[in-house]
Amino acid sequence: MNDANQIKDMILGWGAHMAGVADIQSLDGLPAIPSDLLEPFTNAISIGVHLPVDIFGGISDRPTPGYIAVYREANAILDEVAAKTATHIESLGSRALAIPASEILDRENWMGAVSHKAVALAAGLGWQGKNLLLITPRHGSRVRLVTVLSNAPLKTDAPMKNRCGRCSRCHDACPAGAIKNVNTNSHYESRNEALYFDQCARKLSEEFAKLPGIGAPVCGICIRVCPFTGKGKIRMGI
């Protein structure tokens, strides 16, 4: 068995901040484009980078140009690291496929090739918060993610316990009123179990994306108010 820790160390050396390995079987039933995308692979490597905590201090009721700049830079770093990871795994004689960090293939359902958040959840990088995002113990949801599918013989990681508890900060702060404040022990069966998803999508795509200097459906408010985002470094203001 190839040493998963060695591959993780390489990923961190290339500029990522976290990495975990999910068993493909734990992703059974996860929607993918195309539908048979996961079939040739046995595991999925989740790779993450965290965004600077102070960039969220400037977010009040809308995203800022500074936030979208670091958001895009993180995606570029992730795509480069994922490409290097896939190339390295192939050099070891296994198959690997890097899935772009931020690519929407289905605009109607707001889906990429595979859910990076679902893979990261299965790979033990964090838990699924009430805002539907991955929440990590150290950085909250201020992380961007990418996935590398692989059939290399790697040891997989275990999921993490949910730690949202009774916290309702994301629900209280959501400008779209989209977060239902429903908790889960593992993961939500559908987006609409946690969110009024259409309300969130409309706010981001029809309002925030059209703001000067933004140009993408992003928000950042639920990330800013999460107590795990800044470990008390950000004044919440709610």
Side-chain angles (χ1 to χ4, degrees):
M1 174 177 288
N2 292 323
D3 190 348
N5 288 330
Q6 289 182 354
I7 290 181
K8 291 177 186 178
D9 286 344
M10 294 183 73
I11 288 170
L12 300 184
W14 287 326
H17 300 132
M18 62 194 77
V21 184
D23 187 336
I24 284 289
Q25 291 185 353
S26 69
L27 301 173
D28 186 43
L30 183 69
I33 302 174
S35 59
D36 62 352
L37 176 69
L38 304 182
E39 289 183 7
F41 305 102
T42 58
N43 57 67
I45 303 169
S46 180
I47 302 168
V49 299
H50 65 77
L51 307 184
V53 65
D54 285 328
I55 202 69
F56 291 92
I59 295 175
S60 56
D61 61 349
R62 64 191 64 193
T64 63
Y67 171 51
I68 192 65
V70 298
Y71 175 98
R72 288 174 171 151
E73 177 64 21
N75 289 340
I77 292 170
L78 286 167
D79 285 339
E80 180 179 356
V81 173
K84 289 181 177 179
T85 303
T87 299
H88 174 70
I89 290 173
E90 287 183 344
S91 74
L92 299 176
S94 297
R95 295 183 61 178
L97 177 65
I99 307 297
S102 186
E103 180 182 48
I104 303 299
L105 300 179
D106 180 348
R107 287 286 176 182
E108 182 176 350
N109 296 300
W110 290 93
M111 286 179 53
V114 70
S115 170
H116 298 302
K117 291 177 290 188
V119 173
L121 179 69
L125 296 189
W127 64 91
Q128 192 165 35
K130 295 178 181 179
N131 58 4
L132 208 62
L133 300 179
L134 182 83
I135 299 181
T136 65
R138 186 174 179 183
H139 307 295
S141 294
R142 57 181 176 94
V143 296
R144 299 295 301 157
L145 302 163
V146 74
T147 301
V148 176
L149 303 176
S150 160
N151 67 355
L154 301 175
K155 181 180 179 181
T156 57
D157 296 294
M160 189 177 293
K161 183 179 179 180
N162 188 297
R163 295 168 59 182
C164 285
R166 296 180 179 180
C167 179
S168 63
R169 287 182 175 179
C170 61
H171 164 267
D172 298 340
C174 179
I179 299 173
K180 296 182 178 181
N181 197 26
V182 175
N183 210 355
T184 178
N185 289 327
S186 57
H187 66 279
Y188 298 100
E189 295 300 324
S190 72
R191 290 167 166 171
N192 288 323
E193 185 180 350
L195 300 181
Y196 299 105
F197 185 78
D198 290 344
Q199 292 178 204
C200 176
R202 281 197 301 270
K203 188 76 172 179
L204 271 59
S205 62
E206 297 178 12
E207 182 178 337
F208 288 168
K210 297 178 181 179
L211 292 173
I214 304 302
V218 298
C219 177
I221 294 171
C222 68
I223 300 174
R224 178 182 69 86
V225 300
C226 176
F228 288 95
T229 287
K231 297 284 189 175
K233 294 178 182 177
I234 295 177
R235 188 173 183 177
M236 296 302 177
I238 62 172

